[in-house]
């Protein structure tokens, strides 16, 4: 009897990861071991390893994945610029006088930070240090308060721009192309980052609404769980609200608007976000607000004018007006560059620049090391017949496409207890998704369903990253058990959101179809 090496390989991967060894090395070690074992047993063609170099080169030059470092840099700079602190303080004062108001403010701030930073750990830690003690002082139930902080922090994975959505866009696009090749199509469609971002917008806002409705409903039924603020605080003025909310919203519009509007590629939009984050950080570093606003307006005018009235000096028919416009554009660019360099120098002297770059390099290296080794793992897994086995399992599921999709979603959910979203995305999904698409399931809708499912993995014990982040930042009176019990209702709410999206696929498909 032939050993099912593909299944044993997958089980071994989960087992070794649970031992706590670094993930990228674990994936590479398991893949190497089973490639050699399969070759010795005659179940693996060792010549497949010749494709490794091409696979790695494809990952490192992928125009979608190369946007990740700049998006990470944008988020890290914003996180270290104390944007979260200002937002939480202002929103808490705005909503705190109503039952459940502090909880609603935490969710709304989580949504704003998600759309501007997209970094779960930074958001959870910031709110754990600032909002959680405030809620406890005002009589909030510790379990509810912990659950809200953990859950609001995970919104960075479903509300674009997010690293998860960028990775999913690449994985789903490749799977969609494989499915079309299998169908014998010659005109191949792809799924872009812009489509993925557009598809996740409405479901992400749906999650925010579901969380807020739950918090307000629970505060109404059980007032002692989420009372109004006991501390006397002044209502924020309109100027204070605008100063806290408008800058991150403008950054969100600049990044998402340029992608969804087809003006910029993901790399270009990420560059816009990184420069915008540097300008926002200037306020914290003591740079004049007027100077920052002037530089921002200069870049905005430059972007609009260059699109409406482009100048091409290499042409022979350039008029004096063209030279004047070129001089104006150069002046605007130089002015903005000088301001950005001034902020970077202040950030260097403050230590913010070094810390931001170090965090960016650490996170980016972790992501790309995992993706590269997962590509190696997938090659061996497919060579051992794993892809054919997955196809067979899904095709034999009772209930047809719906049954196969339910099985796939449950499988991803269970793996989320043990594996990180990057590992699930780049190891499992490339073999799980093509047969589902071949069954007629809309790839855009499927992408959002999986994104919400993977977002839940941050909340599910024992290895939910959001739980660990909060455990490190929470006050001593908050126990690990309270954190674990606090996220349970929100995991159920995640399932409710998936059910709503299942019943109304148009929530995910309407916006990308309208824009593209």
């Amino acid at each position: 009897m032939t050993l099912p090496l593909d299944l044993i390989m997958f089980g071994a991967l989960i087992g070794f990861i649970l031992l706590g060894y670094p993930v990228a090395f674990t994936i590479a070690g398991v893949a190497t071991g089973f490639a050699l074992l399969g070759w010795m047993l005659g179940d693996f063609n060792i010549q497949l390893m010749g494709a490794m170099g091409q696979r790695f080169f494809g990952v490192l030059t992928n125009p979608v994945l190369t946007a990740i470092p700049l998006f990470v840099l944008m988020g890290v700079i914003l996180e270290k610029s104390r944007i979260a602190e200002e937002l939480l303080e202002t929103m808490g004062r705005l909503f705190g006088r109503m039952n459940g108001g502090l909880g609603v403010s935490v969710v709304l701030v989580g949504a704003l930070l998600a759309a501007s930073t997209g970094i779960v750990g930074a958001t959870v830690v910031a709110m754990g240090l600032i909002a959680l003690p405030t809620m406890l002082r005002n009589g909030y139930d510790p379990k509810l308060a912990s659950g809200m902080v953990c859950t609001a922090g995970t919104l960075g994975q479903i509300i674009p721009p997010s690293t998860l959505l960028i990775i999913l866009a690449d994985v789903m696009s490749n799977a969609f192309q494989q499915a079309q090749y299998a169908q014998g199509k010659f005109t191949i469609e792809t799924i872009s980052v812009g489509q993925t971002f557009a598809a996740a917008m409405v479901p992400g806002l749906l999650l925010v609404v579901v969380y807020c409705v739950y918090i307000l409903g629970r505060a109404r039924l059980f007032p002692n769980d989420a009372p109004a603020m006991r501390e006397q605080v002044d209502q924020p003025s309109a100027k204070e609200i605008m100063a806290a909310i408008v800058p991150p919203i403008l950054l969100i519009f600049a990044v998402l608007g340029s992608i969804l509007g087809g003006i910029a590629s993901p790399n270009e939009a990420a560059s816009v976000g990184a420069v915008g984050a540097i300008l926002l950080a200037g306020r914290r570093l003591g740079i004049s607000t007027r100077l920052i606003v002037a530089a921002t307006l200069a870049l905005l005018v430059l972007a609009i004018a260059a699109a409406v009235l482009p100048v091409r000096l290499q042409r022979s028919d350039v008029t004096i007006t063209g030279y004047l416009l070129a001089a104006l554009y150069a002046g605007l660019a130089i002015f903005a560059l000088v301001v950005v360099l001034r902020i970077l120098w202040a950030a260097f002297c403050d230590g913010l620049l070094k810390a931001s770059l170090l965090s960016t390099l650490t996170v980016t290296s972790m992501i790309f090391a995992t993706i590269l080794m997962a590509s190696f793992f997938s090659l061996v897994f497919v060579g051992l017949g794993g892809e054919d086995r997955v196809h067979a399992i899904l095709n034999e599921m009772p209930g047809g496409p719906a049954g196969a999709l339910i099985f796939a979603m449950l499988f991803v959910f269970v793996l989320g207890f043990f594996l990180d979203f990057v590992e699930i995305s780049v190891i499992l999904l490339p073999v799980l998704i093509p047969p589902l698409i071949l069954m007629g399931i809309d790839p855009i809708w499927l992408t959002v369903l999986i994104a919400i499912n993977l977002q839940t993995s941050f909340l599910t014990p024992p290895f939910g990253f959001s739980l660990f982040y909060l455990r490190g930042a929470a006050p001593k009176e908050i126990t690990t058990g309270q954190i674990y019990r606090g996220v349970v209702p929100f995991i159920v709410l995640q399932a409710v959101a998936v059910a709503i999206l299942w019943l109304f696929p148009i929530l995910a498909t309407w916006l990308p179809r309208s824009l593209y």
Side-chain angles (χ1 to χ4, degrees), residues 148-171:
M148 285 189 294
V149 170
C150 282
T151 306
T154 65
L155 287 170
Q157 293 303 302
I158 187 64
I159 296 179
S162 88
T163 303
L164 168 62
L165 293 177
I166 294 173
I167 294 173
L168 273 183
D170 181 63
V171 171

Side-chain angles (χ1 to χ4, degrees), residues 26-40:
T26 300
I27 296 172
V30 171
T32 301
F34 276 85
L36 294 173
L37 179 61
W39 175 51
M40 288 187 292

Side-chain angles (χ1 to χ4, degrees), residues 310-319 321-327 330:
V311 176
R312 297 177 176 84
L313 296 180
Q314 70 272 25
R315 292 177 52 168
S316 59
D317 58 348
V318 181
T319 62
T321 304
Y323 284 110
L324 290 174
L325 283 174

Side-chain angles (χ1 to χ4, degrees), residues 9 55 373-383 426-428 430-431:
M9 179 184 182
R55 277 176 165 251
M373 294 307 102
S375 177
F376 177 21
F377 184 94
S378 297
L379 180 66
V380 178
F381 185 73
V382 170
V426 296
I427 294 175
L428 175 66
V431 296

